[in-house]
Amino acid sequence: MATSKNLINLLDDAVSETLTGLSYTYPQLEHHVSHRVVFSSDHRNRRGKVALVCGGGSGHEPFAAGFVGSGMLTASIAGSIFAAPPSTHITYALRCIAENNKAGIVVIVPNYTGDCLNFGIAIEKTRQAGVTVEEIIVGDDCSIPESERSTAGKRGLVGMLFVIKIAGAFAEKGFPLCEVAEIARRVSQSTATYGIGLTACAVPGQGLMFELAQDEIECGMGVHGEAGYERIKLKTASELVTLMLERICKVLSLSPNDSVAVIVNNFGALSQLEQGIVVCEVVNQLKNIGIQPVRVYSGILMTSLNSVGIHISLLKLTESHGDVFVNCLDEKTMAPCWPGCAYSIPSTLTPMSISLKDAEKEKVEKIGISLNVRHQRLIESCLKDACAAIIEKEAYLNGLDRGCGDGDCGSTLKRFADGILSNLDNLSLSHPAALLSEIANIAEECMGGTSGALYCLFFTTGAKMLASFKQEEDMRRVWFDAFRSGLNCLEKYGKAKVGDRTMIDTMYPAYKTYEQLLKASPSDFYNRIAEAAWKGCYSTRDMKPKAGRASYIKQARYLTEMDAGAYAAAIWIAAIVQTITHFKE
């Protein structure tokens, strides 16, 4: 089994070095290297306020050290990777706090055997020294049915952050130890978390903790690299969120008109794009079943090294304590990694809920040359065939774009083609100037990025040129001038020219051949234009990119094929030529 790639020095130094890195980033945090303890800046002078302490194995960063700061933890203790911290280190942290703090300490313990044992030893030793300590063991994992649960109980997962944040706010307000501990217990009892994993993690220098097929996921996966409760086939984000919420809602006895706070936690390697999709699904699905998500927090909060996965954690806002919970969640904290901020609190203003698709689109004025029915049918056929050709080559274009681009050229152009086809019945086929303006709008809306801007410019400029012609003009000349003006605009704003390995290398030779053939009008007029386009496209194989994203690539092995944009231009030019030369009523 292959070992993982890691940016470390020595594995034995990894924990201390990452805690030192955190203290360099947030220099008001106090890192005691010898015991792997991180203290808040006010730990020596709490002014009679209760202190909060938590910790656990490393590999879960930013938990727990990232949540040290007034309003949350007073101290955190880190063990080795996926190992509970030694009791001596925990005892050291508790005694450091107790030296200047007589209000007592609440210790929040993740429910894992090693953590419970080592924290338990430290708590007993600290109590023997005359310090008042309350222990809160948090087990919020709801993935394993109660009938199948072992004596170890439920695992402590990211729902602990609800406990830490609310108890921390109580402590900061000066509530006595018994009340801080009681609110912590109430939060813990009202919280449930469910996790799914798409990949296992790998401890630095080792292979994956377990194998997981490409089309499988682990339901109920924890944060220590262990497998989940069950393995199922990969589903859509919507389906998986439904599965997770059903379990959580059942455990918390949630029903319509209830309110919750939400945490969506990233295991460490899930893309932010996907995490945003999960947040969207969680909020929408909760609203659809009548449950109001009052606060939503999302981020990389409690990780499992390099695992790809997600936790959903819900805190039920009970009638008796719901307002208290929310007020505490909204309280400020100096802890650097808490995801809440002023923007986490909903605005009193009504948000704009009308999407661009629902808004009335600007109507394009039908000006310039108008076409007869036959030419309208020809243009419609050209659009259909060009779009079909692009869609057919989606995967191939993505392949050409991979390595020297972002691998989505085919997908981007497919969106453009789909946009044209879905609007075909509403396009102004009778007026070419209006038609090109509408196609430009579709490019801008459906494609985005550089490609969308380039095609929008090309068709917008062509439309402007077409609007200037009169009805009796020669249509071959009209379309040539529109093509030329669009190409000139691409060169002006895109800054690419012939030889730079872009779509220009296809379009320019097509334009030059078109210009030359206008004088002679041979029988193979259109076929020769297509041939010129393909010749220009193939020439990009031997070019070094000088424009676009590919210009940053210097490894020759990524530049042995044609440019994706040039190939795409050749496809639609050739498709249009084919349609024109074979068109029949």
Side-chain angles (χ1 to χ4, degrees):
M1 183 183 293
T3 57
S4 59
K5 293 181 183 178
N6 302 104
L7 284 176
I8 63 170
N9 295 311
L10 295 174
L11 184 58
D12 290 345
D13 297 336
V15 175
S16 294
E17 288 179 353
T18 197
L19 292 175
T20 301
L22 181 75
S23 67
Y24 286 163
T25 307
Y26 305 105
Q28 290 192 34
L29 294 177
E30 189 177 307
H31 177 208
H32 291 204
V33 179
S34 60
H35 291 81
R36 295 174 175 172
V37 177
V38 174
F39 291 102
S40 64
S41 58
D42 65 347
H43 79 278
R44 290 185 178 85
N45 184 15
R46 293 282 298 159
R47 296 188 179 90
K49 297 174 183 176
V50 171
L52 258 68
V53 174
C54 187
S58 295
H60 307 306
E61 292 71 24
F63 185 84
F67 302 102
V68 172
S70 60
M72 291 191 80
L73 294 176
T74 311
S76 73
I77 311 97
S80 298
I81 294 174
F82 294 166
S87 63
T88 53
H89 291 185
I90 302 168
T91 303
Y92 172 83
L94 297 178
R95 289 183 175 175
C96 283
I97 292 170
E99 283 180 9
N100 301 287
N101 188 309
K102 305 306 178 186
I105 304 170
V106 171
V107 180
I108 297 170
V109 184
N111 189 32
Y112 294 96
T113 302
D115 291 302
C116 291
L117 288 171
N118 284 282
F119 274 92
I121 292 169
I123 288 168
E124 291 303 321
K125 287 182 177 180
T126 305
R127 284 172 175 165
Q128 288 175 10
V131 181
T132 307
V133 182
E134 287 277 2
E135 180 185 39
I136 310 294
I137 298 176
V138 180
D140 52 309
D141 176 24
C142 68
S143 65
I144 301 173
E146 188 172 358
S147 60
E148 299 181 41
R149 206 173 293 151
S150 69
T151 54
K154 299 184 290 184
R155 295 173 291 190
L157 300 175
V158 74
M160 266 189 294
L161 293 185
F162 281 133
V163 179
I164 292 168
K165 181 66 180 69
I166 293 172
F170 250 54
E172 202 61 29
K173 289 174 181 289
F175 283 96
L177 179 65
C178 60
E179 293 191 39
V180 175
E182 177 59 24
I183 199 72
R185 290 190 182 96
R186 285 186 179 274
V187 175
S188 180
Q189 291 161 4
S190 303
T191 301
T193 303
Y194 195 107
I196 57 133
L198 280 68
T199 69
C201 68
V203 174
Q206 299 179 20
L208 293 173
M209 301 282 277
F210 59 88
E211 293 296 328
L212 191 59
Q214 194 67 23
D215 64 342
E216 294 179 332
I217 62 166
E218 289 285 331
C219 291
M221 198 160 94
V223 287
H224 295 91
E226 71 271 36
Y229 169 68
E230 62 178 337
R231 185 170 295 187
I232 65 172
K233 293 295 182 182
L234 178 63
K235 303 176 185 293
T236 65
S238 177
E239 291 170 319
L240 289 175
V241 168
T242 298
L243 181 153
M244 298 166 80
L245 288 180
E246 284 178 351
R247 180 65 188 162
I248 295 171
C249 290
K250 182 178 179 181
V251 168
L252 292 179
S253 300
L254 289 170
S255 57
N257 299 319
D258 281 339
S259 297
V260 295
V262 180
I263 288 176
V264 177
N265 171 56
N266 190 322
F267 276 22
L270 189 75
S271 75
Q272 294 299 288
L273 179 80
E274 293 161 283
Q275 180 154 354
I277 293 169
V278 172
V279 173
C280 177
E281 282 292 337
V282 170
V283 171
N284 288 340
Q285 290 193 30
L286 285 172
K287 288 181 176 179
N288 288 340
I289 58 177
I291 296 171
Q292 182 61 34
V294 175
R295 295 292 183 272
V296 180
Y297 307 102
S298 172
I300 300 174
L301 307 172
M302 179 186 282
T303 61
S304 181
L305 290 171
N306 58 348
S307 178
V308 178
I310 205 87
H311 280 132
I312 297 173
S313 186
L314 299 187
L315 166 62
K316 184 176 182 178
L317 303 176
T318 60
E319 284 188 25
S320 58
H321 289 81
D323 290 342
V324 174
F325 289 172
V326 172
N327 289 336
C328 289
L329 289 172
D330 291 345
E331 288 289 335
K332 292 182 179 179
T333 176
M334 298 297 289
C337 296
W338 171 247
C341 64
Y343 277 17
S344 301
I345 303 171
S347 170
T348 55
L349 298 175
T350 302
M352 292 293 290
S353 60
I354 301 175
S355 68
L356 288 175
K357 290 183 179 179
D358 296 330
E360 185 178 355
K361 291 197 174 16
E362 183 181 349
K363 291 185 178 180
V364 178
E365 187 180 359
K366 294 182 179 179
I367 57 176
I369 296 170
S370 63
L371 303 179
N372 59 34
V373 173
R374 181 182 184 278
H375 284 157
Q376 290 180 47
R377 289 174 181 166
L378 173 58
I379 285 184
E380 183 178 22
S381 295
C382 286
L383 289 173
K384 285 181 178 179
D385 293 345
C387 289
I390 286 292
I391 291 169
E392 182 185 354
K393 292 292 185 179
E394 178 191 6
Y396 185 71
L397 285 166
N398 283 341
L400 290 177
D401 194 38
R402 200 166 289 119
C404 57
D406 47 11
D408 69 345
C409 179
S411 300
T412 302
L413 282 161
K414 181 181 181 295
R415 291 199 301 271
F416 183 25
D418 286 338
I420 292 173
L421 293 176
S422 64
N423 287 282
L424 201 56
D425 292 340
N426 301 314
L427 294 179
S428 303
L429 299 175
S430 61
H431 288 76
L435 174 64
L436 263 59
S437 291
E438 290 164 346
I439 291 175
N441 292 338
I442 292 171
E444 188 172 29
E445 183 175 329
C446 295
M447 297 176 73
T450 302
S451 298
L454 290 173
Y455 274 97
C456 180
L457 280 170
F458 178 73
F459 287 109
T460 297
T461 312
K464 183 180 178 181
M465 176 60 70
L466 285 175
S468 68
F469 285 105
K470 297 179 181 179
Q471 190 66 35
E472 63 271 12
E473 298 282 354
D474 173 36
M475 288 307 296
R476 280 189 177 180
R477 167 64 64 176
V478 168
W479 286 113
F480 168 75
D481 286 343
F483 191 94
R484 180 191 60 194
S485 63
L487 182 58
N488 289 341
C489 190
L490 290 184
E491 292 178 318
K492 176 183 177 181
Y493 289 103
K495 297 183 173 62
K497 58 184 183 297
V498 175
D500 286 351
R501 200 176 189 270
T502 68
M503 63 193 292
I504 301 295
D505 292 297
T506 292
M507 300 175 78
Y508 185 81
Y511 146 72
K512 291 301 293 182
T513 301
Y514 198 155
E515 183 179 41
Q516 294 163 6
L517 295 176
L518 278 174
K519 301 172 184 176
S521 294
S523 58
D524 58 350
F525 181 93
Y526 293 108
N527 287 330
R528 285 167 70 173
I529 293 172
E531 288 171 5
W534 280 118
K535 184 176 179 181
C537 168
Y538 292 137
S539 71
T540 61
R541 286 172 168 163
D542 304 317
M543 294 178 184
K544 291 184 178 180
K546 298 177 184 176
R549 187 179 281 112
S551 63
Y552 301 110
I553 306 299
K554 305 304 178 186
Q555 297 182 55
R557 62 195 173 103
Y558 294 122
L559 304 171
T560 57
E561 294 288 346
M562 297 163 287
D563 176 70
Y567 187 78
I571 289 173
W572 61 257
I573 289 173
I576 290 172
V577 165
Q578 180 77 0
T579 304
I580 292 172
T581 55
H582 292 82
F583 181 70
K584 293 180 182 179
E585 287 288 345

